[in-house]
Amino acid sequence: MASNQTSLNDAKFALPVSDVEQQAALEIETEDFDYSKRAQWLRAAVLGANDGLVSTASLMMGVGAVKQDLKAMILTGFAGLVAGACSMAIGEFVSVHSQLDIELAQMKRDRQRKDTEEREEGENESLPNPLLAAAASALAFSVGALVPLLAASFIREYKVRLGVVVAAVTLALMIFGWLGAVLGKAPAVRSSLRVLVGGWLAMAITFGLTRLIGSSGL
């Protein structure tokens, strides 16, 4: 009778331990999530948005360095948006398609060595999608490029327009840098500052060189 009571007590205490172990295993699995799996779409989205923001803003600042006309600045920014989005989409499509060809060739070699349908199905689910990557890259570029375009569209005063563009781009660069760091589990402050300083340098160099060439009469 005593032995039966002891076994019942052990069973009572065994259940919470099992629950705790399962909960701990679940937490470890969550903490050990491989954030590098996000690298493909995260790289396309963040780099596309940053490129759209910085390149379009730099083009607009370069034109603004020699021409105070609002229409010229907006047309330059819009041309940069369309050209950049197409370029990013084509580049991403070619890059991801090359990666897809390599992975398909490797899968074919693996099947020749070990032909298992189960493994093939699992690999097909993880294959990169060139069209999706191209669309994401073009969309992200366009979103970034819209920031300086919208910031400058309704401001007639030349100096105020330049200041608003710089302020809007600064805020967007900080947001994009922070967002990329958070999604990729990287240091947020360092990432934001790196993106911000890079954007400032691009705009300052474009503005300065364009103004220098414009003032030289070339």
Side-chain angles (χ1 to χ4, degrees):
M1 187 72 175
S3 61
N4 290 337
Q5 186 174 0
T6 303
S7 62
L8 289 174
N9 291 334
D10 292 340
K12 290 180 181 179
F13 286 106
L15 286 174
V17 172
S18 177
D19 292 340
V20 170
E21 290 177 351
Q22 290 178 1
Q23 182 67 24
L26 182 61
E27 291 177 357
I28 292 174
E29 183 179 354
T30 302
E31 292 176 358
D32 291 342
F33 175 75
D34 186 7
Y35 287 90
S36 65
K37 294 178 181 179
R38 296 175 175 174
Q40 181 181 340
W41 65 268
L42 178 61
R43 177 179 61 86
V46 173
L47 290 183
N50 280 330
D51 285 348
L53 179 65
V54 174
S55 62
T56 304
S58 298
L59 281 171
M60 293 173 65
M61 294 294 291
V63 171
V66 294
K67 293 181 71 69
Q68 300 185 11
D69 184 27
L70 174 61
K71 185 177 180 180
M73 191 180 233
I74 297 301
L75 286 176
T76 300
F78 181 75
L81 185 157
V82 176
C86 293
S87 177
M88 289 289 292
I90 294 171
E92 194 69 20
F93 179 84
V94 171
S95 175
V96 176
H97 213 297
S98 298
Q99 180 185 351
L100 176 62
D101 292 340
I102 293 172
E103 293 191 17
L104 287 174
Q106 182 62 42
M107 287 171 57
K108 184 177 180 180
R109 288 191 293 268
D110 291 341
R111 286 197 300 270
Q112 289 175 352
R113 289 195 299 264
K114 185 178 180 181
D115 190 5
T116 57
E117 295 181 358
E118 184 176 328
R119 170 177 172 146
E120 181 180 350
E121 292 177 359
E123 288 180 339
N124 285 334
E125 292 177 358
S126 63
L127 288 175
N129 189 328
L131 288 176
L132 183 60
S137 183
L139 178 61
F141 186 97
S142 300
V143 169
L146 281 174
V147 173
L149 272 173
L150 293 177
S153 293
F154 307 103
I155 301 177
R156 296 285 179 180
E157 180 64 30
Y158 169 68
K159 292 183 179 180
V160 176
R161 189 193 318 141
L162 292 181
V164 169
V165 169
V166 172
V169 170
T170 298
L171 179 61
L173 284 171
M174 294 180 65
I175 292 174
F176 287 151
W178 173 83
L179 182 62
V182 169
L183 293 176
K185 288 297 180 180
V189 175
R190 186 184 305 171
S191 178
S192 298
L193 288 177
R194 183 167 55 243
V195 172
L196 180 59
V197 172
W200 279 349
L201 284 175
M203 289 189 294
I205 292 172
T206 306
F207 184 89
L209 290 179
T210 307
R211 187 142 195 149
L212 178 62
I213 293 174
S215 62
S216 65
L218 293 178

